[in-house]
Amino acid sequence: MGPEGGEPRLVLSPGEFPHWAPDGSQLAFQACLNPPDCTTGVALMERSTGEVHGFPMPDPDLFTSCAIWAPSGRTLACDGDSESDPTRNGVYTVRASDGEGLTRVTSNPGGTDSPVTYSPDGQRLLFARTPGASDGGAESALFVTPSRGGRATRITPWGYTDDSASWSPDGRSIVFETFGSLFRVRPDGAGLTKIAVTTTEGTPLAHPFDAAFSPDGRSIVFSVAGAEPGLYLAHPDGSRAERLTMSPTEDHHGNWCAAPGS
């Protein structure tokens, strides 16, 4: 669908959590391409032809689902979980070209680390962390780590987390949803601010989620649940929100394609 809204066009089914490649040539998404085994680690669709292909998880003892593009377009970030050895849990990367080259980025024994988005320069990775039971609870938070691995820094209070946060193109802020509201925070964790989302008439919109910056940073697209569900477009401060889709079901995880003519 174009940013002006209108009737969405079905691209593929089934498929979840779509992410366009930086050059717009491919769409990474999550799906089982080989039922009943469901060992798909990387699922890709070629934008020019609609062809779908994928690569198996490179390590049979580590469940990896990889759909978060690095800005270079060469690698994808994955959440990695091992039932046989939970000390291996963390974020990993693989090559987008063949699904191989499994490389560990974070370590969270017994817990869950899920990659969310890279910084525009590719130097940092935002991810959601849920500690293991031995670390004292199931609350999650957002963390930032060097993209090649290193010390991870928590940037939101425990309980403030999201699986679809977005890093602004200028690298200065991150927008995410929690508790049914949108928030903005700087990559160092400073300046946590709730975003008041209002329509062009000034009417507040409740329950916004899954926000994503446009490639030029001038807009955010997000979803709304409730009486008027669908995708909405607004200024980054949440003002002048306009409804893009009128689907009777929930539209979510909107992701921008920056390719010309898209």
Side-chain angles (χ1 to χ4, degrees), residues 76-138:
L76 291 160
C78 330
D79 56 310
D81 294 283
S82 175
E83 290 186 0
S84 61
D85 184 4
T87 65
R88 301 185 65 196
N89 292 2
V91 173
Y92 290 76
T93 62
V94 296
R95 291 189 297 267
S97 60
D98 59 6
E100 297 290 340
L102 185 69
T103 301
R104 189 168 194 166
V105 178
T106 72
S107 177
N108 186 9
T112 301
D113 284 354
S114 300
V116 178
T117 186
Y118 281 90
S119 61
D121 61 7
Q123 297 299 306
R124 293 169 290 178
L125 175 68
L126 177 74
F127 68 97
R129 167 167 288 179
T130 302
S134 61
D135 291 330

Side-chain angles (χ1 to χ4, degrees), residues 38-55:
C38 293
T39 57
T40 305
V42 176
L44 300 170
M45 185 200 75
E46 301 295 327
R47 181 168 179 259
S48 60
T49 64
E51 177 190 357
V52 173
H53 62 97
F55 305 111

Side-chain angles (χ1 to χ4, degrees), residues 207-229:
H207 307 297
F209 62 101
D210 287 351
F213 279 99
S214 63
D216 61 8
R218 297 178 180 176
S219 304
I220 55 173
V221 66
F222 57 93
S223 300
V224 168
E228 296 185 54

